[in-house]
Amino acid sequence: VVKTLLAANADIEKSDKTNNTPLQVACYQRLKDIVEALLAAKANVNRINNRELTPLMIAVQHNDLDTANILVSAGADTLVRRT
């Protein structure tokens, strides 16, 4: 389904009421394949949600080191700090 939406040029930066993008939701749900597909489509790897969390922070909080490594390889900022 995700690949179909991406092929139809779906807005990959559209956020929900808590400012989570599809990439952040995929990180919350530990969906590594979807994370990779969204990154390949140039999703913003450093987007901050209303809880001041980036996708990398979400992956680390969920002990998903595979996804965290993918995000870092895609350019995730490892120095972002919550305020």
Side-chain angles (χ1 to χ4, degrees):
V1 173
V2 172
K3 289 182 181 180
T4 301
L5 291 170
L6 292 174
N9 294 318
D11 183 0
I12 60 173
E13 297 302 326
K14 185 163 179 69
S15 59
D16 63 15
K17 63 184 177 183
T18 58
N19 207 29
N20 285 312
T21 63
L23 180 59
Q24 287 159 314
V25 172
C27 290
Y28 275 118
Q29 297 180 4
R30 301 181 67 165
L31 301 171
K32 185 175 84 170
D33 292 343
I34 294 176
V35 168
E36 290 174 325
L38 290 166
L39 291 172
K42 306 294 184 211
N44 182 349
V45 73
N46 292 308
R47 176 85 177 257
I48 297 173
N49 66 12
N50 288 355
R51 295 180 59 209
E52 299 182 6
L53 298 173
T54 65
L56 178 59
M57 291 173 177
I58 295 165
V60 170
Q61 283 184 347
H62 288 85
N63 296 315
D64 189 352
L65 298 181
D66 287 340
T67 297
N69 286 326
I70 292 166
L71 293 164
V72 170
S73 293
D77 186 346
T78 60
L79 301 177
V80 173
R81 302 281 185 255
R82 294 176 73 179
T83 58

